[in-house]
Amino acid sequence: MKGSVFFIGACTVVLAGLALTRLGVNEYYFFAGYVVLQFVVLATAWNILGGYAGYVNFGSAGFFAIGVYCSIALTKAFSLPLPLLILASSIAAGLIGLATGYLTLRLRGVFFAIATLALAIVLETLVSNWSYVGGAAGTFVMRPKTVIFFDSYVEFLFIVMLVLAVSSVVIARTIERSRFGRGLRAIRDEEVAAESMGVPTLKLKLLATTLSGALMGAAGAPFSYYVTYVDPPSAFNLSFAVNAVAMPLIGGTATWLGPLIGALLLGSIQQIATVTISSELNLLIVGLTLIIFVIVAPDGLVGAARRISKWVRGN
Amino acid sequence: MQPLLLAKSVTKRFGGFTALDHVDITVSSGERLGLIGPNGSGKTTFINCISGTLRNDSGSVFFDGADISTLPAHQRIRKGIARSFQIPKPFPTMTVRENILIPLEFGSTKSKSQDRRSPDDVLDLIGLTEKANETAAHLTQVELRKLELARAVAVDPKLLISDEAMAGLSHSEVDDILEILLSLNAGGITIIMIEHIMRAVMHFSERIVVLDAGQKIADGEPNTVAEDPRVQEAYLGN
C-alpha cells in the first residue's frame, strides 16, 4: 500500500468516526467501540516491542495504568484538559518504559517477560498505597459536564480513542518501513549477529520500549473519564495484559495490520459476548482463540492469508 | 610499520575458568593469519574479544592505532572489523538480499550515494546471486556459510575474521570457500582464519598462531609451527 493511500485511509477513518457521532446512533455503540479502539492502541503498542523486536512484554497493564493514574493525579492537582493529560501520561509511561528497558533489556526471552510482569505488580502495590489517587479503595472521577461539538462525553471519548488508535497504527507502520524497523527485525531474528553487523541493539530496544510504553500510557489517560470510578484492580486488569499479547499473536506480529485485525476481531467478539452471554466469559474466549491460533496459524491471520494466497498463485 | 591489529595481553575469564590468558597477537595489514588450536583452546573467545561480542577482562585491543577495547561490537564493525560466526547466524525471516542489507545499512560508514557496495554486487562476489530472493531459513549449509561471509565483506572491512567457515563442508566446498577468501585477500582485506581443516589452513596462511588452553604456544611460518613439538603435543598428547 502506498504511503499517500494509507494516509488518506487513516484520515477517512477519523472523519467517518466523526460523521457517526452526528447520525444519532445509540450511545452504547460508542461506549463499546471505545473499548475495542483502546485494544487497538494496546495491541499495536505491544507489537512494536513484542512483534518487531521479539521482546515479550507481560506488563502492558502496568504501562496502561501509569497513564490512568498519571491523568487522575494531574486532574486532582491541576484539572488539566484531556489532550494535555494524554500527553503527560504518554511521557510518564514512556520514561518508565525507558527505565525498565535499561534495567531489564539485558535479559532475553522468558526472563524479560517475567521482569515486565514483576514491574506491573510493583506498580500496582505502589498505587494501592498512594492515598492521593484513591489508594486501594479507588477514586471517583467527575466527567466535565459539557464538551464542545459533541452531544455526549462518551462520543467525545470515542473520537479521542479513535484518533489515538489511528495514530498508533500510523506510527507502527512508519516504524515498520524505516531503518529503525529493519534494525528491530534483525534483533528479533538474531540479536548477536545484528550487533556484530552494526545494529546498535541496546539503543533500538530502548527506543522501542519507550515508544511502546508511551502509547500504552496514552491509551490509559482517558480511562478514568470513561469508567468514572477507578481502583487498582480495574486499571491493572489482567485483561489488558493478556489481550495486548493475544491480539497481535492472533492477527500476526510481523506487520501493523496484524495487531489491528486481532484487536478489532477479538475486541468486538468480547464486546458482543459481554452483552449476549456474560462478561465473565471474555478471558476464556481470548484463551481459547489463542490456543487455536497457536496450533492452526502460528503466524496469525495475516501470515495465514499470505500462505494461502501464495499457495493459490502457486497452483 | 604500525600493525593493523594489536592484541596486548588479552585475558578473558568465565567465572573461575580462564579462557584467554595474557594473549598477545599482532596482525599486519594485508596479512593472512591462521588461528588454530584444539577444541576449547580459546580461539572463538579471542575473536569475540576482538570483534566486541565479548569484552576482555584485562589487556587491550588496538586497531589501526586506536584502543578499541571498550567499544561495543556495533561500533567496531564501523572501524573495519567484520566477522563470520562459527555456527551460522542468519536472519531467518529475511531473504538473502535483506540479510546483506542489514550490515550495508547499519555497519557501513559509507552512505548509499557514496561508493557503498550494492547487495547484488556482494552476492555476486560470494556467488549467491541465484539465492538472492530465497528466505535465509531455506538455505543449505554451504550457502549459509557463504551468507556469513557475504554479510561480513559487505561493509568492505579492513579485517575479516572467518570463524570455521568450512567446518562440515565437502572437499570441493572447502575449495570453494578457500578461493573466495584468497580473492578477498588479494583485494586488500586482511584475514584471520580460524579453521580445523589443516589442508586449508596450511594452504591459506602466511603465518599461523596456535592457542592451547587459553595461551599462545606458537606463532610463526606454517611449516615451522607444524613441526613445533609443543604444537604436536597440544594436538596429539604426549
Side-chain angles (χ1 to χ4, degrees), chain A residues 5-205:
Chain A
V5 179
F6 178 82
F7 187 72
I8 293 167
C11 293
T12 312
V13 170
V14 176
L15 289 176
L18 273 174
L20 212 59
T21 63
R22 304 279 88 187
L23 292 176
V25 178
N26 185 335
E27 196 182 42
Y28 177 76
Y29 290 105
F30 297 109
F31 196 76
Y34 175 92
V35 178
V36 176
L37 291 170
Q38 176 182 282
F39 279 131
V40 171
V41 181
L42 282 175
T44 305
W46 181 91
N47 202 49
I48 291 173
L49 186 66
Y52 297 165
Y55 276 81
V56 173
N57 175 2
F58 277 132
S60 307
F63 290 100
F64 177 82
I66 291 167
V68 175
Y69 277 99
C70 180
S71 100
I72 290 176
L74 288 174
T75 305
K76 294 210 172 199
F78 312 110
S79 53
L80 296 179
L82 188 54
L84 279 183
L85 292 178
I86 293 174
L87 184 69
S89 296
S90 58
I91 291 172
L95 286 177
I96 293 186
L98 179 68
T100 316
Y102 196 76
L103 292 173
T104 59
L105 279 174
R106 268 160 289 179
L107 306 174
R108 287 235 61 184
V110 71
F111 301 106
F112 176 78
I114 292 169
T116 55
L117 191 60
L119 170 82
I121 293 167
V122 169
L123 285 174
E124 183 169 358
T125 312
L126 282 176
V127 168
S128 297
N129 290 289
W130 185 17
S131 55
Y132 186 66
V133 291
T139 183
F140 285 96
V141 178
M142 303 306 269
R143 284 179 189 161
K145 289 220 170 59
T146 52
V147 56
I148 46 156
F149 186 75
F150 296 98
D151 295 338
S152 78
Y153 205 76
V154 168
E155 286 182 4
F156 169 65
L157 286 177
F158 172 81
I159 292 299
V160 166
M161 198 46 83
L162 182 63
V163 171
L164 283 178
V166 170
S167 312
S168 32
V169 170
V170 170
I171 289 171
R173 182 178 178 275
T174 310
I175 291 175
E176 202 178 303
R177 285 152 191 252
S178 67
R179 182 171 179 269
F180 174 38
R182 289 188 289 276
L184 291 179
R185 192 175 167 200
I187 291 172
R188 180 193 62 197
D189 270 14
E190 184 50 74
E191 188 167 339
V192 175
E195 170 76 24
S196 84
M197 263 149 236
V199 180
T201 52
L202 183 63
K203 197 171 108 190
L204 296 195
K205 286 190 294 184

Side-chain angles (χ1 to χ4, degrees), chain A residues 191-249:
Chain A
E191 188 167 339
V192 175
E195 170 76 24
S196 84
M197 263 149 236
V199 180
T201 52
L202 183 63
K203 197 171 108 190
L204 296 195
K205 286 190 294 184
L206 286 177
L207 198 54
T209 323
T210 309
L211 265 172
S212 174
L215 286 175
M216 288 175 184
F223 183 72
S224 57
Y225 284 133
Y226 176 76
V227 287
T228 66
Y229 167 73
V230 183
D231 63 348
S234 63
F236 287 89
N237 202 300
L238 181 66
S239 150
F240 297 127
V242 171
N243 277 298
V245 181
M247 288 166 172
L249 288 181

Side-chain angles (χ1 to χ4, degrees), chain B residues 96-158:
Chain B
V96 168
R97 184 184 280 112
E98 286 169 332
N99 263 270
I100 311 281
L101 276 168
I102 294 291
L104 280 174
E105 197 171 12
F106 288 92
S108 181
T109 47
K110 296 168 189 163
S111 73
K112 210 172 180 177
S113 53
Q114 287 177 317
D115 49 350
R116 187 163 97 186
R117 283 182 189 276
S118 77
D120 293 316
D121 176 31
V122 179
L123 291 171
D124 187 48
L125 184 74
I126 302 292
L128 273 176
T129 307
E130 282 171 28
K131 300 286 174 181
N133 297 317
E134 195 91 37
T135 309
H138 296 143
L139 297 183
T140 65
Q141 259 312 307
V142 65
E143 286 160 358
L144 283 173
R145 307 280 174 158
K146 285 184 179 174
L147 179 58
E148 280 292 314
L149 285 179
R151 292 194 304 187
V153 299
V155 295
D156 284 322
K158 290 177 190 156

Side-chain angles (χ1 to χ4, degrees), chain B residues 39-178:
Chain B
N39 286 323
S41 60
K43 304 182 296 292
T44 297
T45 305
F46 178 73
I47 68 147
N48 279 341
C49 289
I50 300 298
S51 65
T53 304
L54 292 174
R55 301 277 174 87
N56 40 304
D57 298 317
S58 64
S60 20
V61 181
F62 292 87
F63 188 74
D64 243 359
D67 188 348
I68 56 162
S69 310
T70 56
L71 289 186
H74 71 264
Q75 287 178 22
R76 294 195 197 188
I77 187 169
R78 288 178 208 154
K79 299 273 177 206
I81 303 179
R83 66 166 304 178
S84 72
F85 286 91
Q86 183 176 1
I87 297 160
K89 292 184 188 291
F91 303 122
T93 70
M94 302 184 194
T95 65
V96 168
R97 184 184 280 112
E98 286 169 332
N99 263 270
I100 311 281
L101 276 168
I102 294 291
L104 280 174
E105 197 171 12
F106 288 92
S108 181
T109 47
K110 296 168 189 163
S111 73
K112 210 172 180 177
S113 53
Q114 287 177 317
D115 49 350
R116 187 163 97 186
R117 283 182 189 276
S118 77
D120 293 316
D121 176 31
V122 179
L123 291 171
D124 187 48
L125 184 74
I126 302 292
L128 273 176
T129 307
E130 282 171 28
K131 300 286 174 181
N133 297 317
E134 195 91 37
T135 309
H138 296 143
L139 297 183
T140 65
Q141 259 312 307
V142 65
E143 286 160 358
L144 283 173
R145 307 280 174 158
K146 285 184 179 174
L147 179 58
E148 280 292 314
L149 285 179
R151 292 194 304 187
V153 299
V155 295
D156 284 322
K158 290 177 190 156
L159 173 66
L160 168 66
I161 308 174
S162 154
D163 191 0
E164 295 201 35
M166 306 169 193
L169 300 187
S170 75
H171 198 97
S172 66
E173 286 165 345
V174 167
D175 289 341
D176 223 17
I177 303 273
L178 210 48

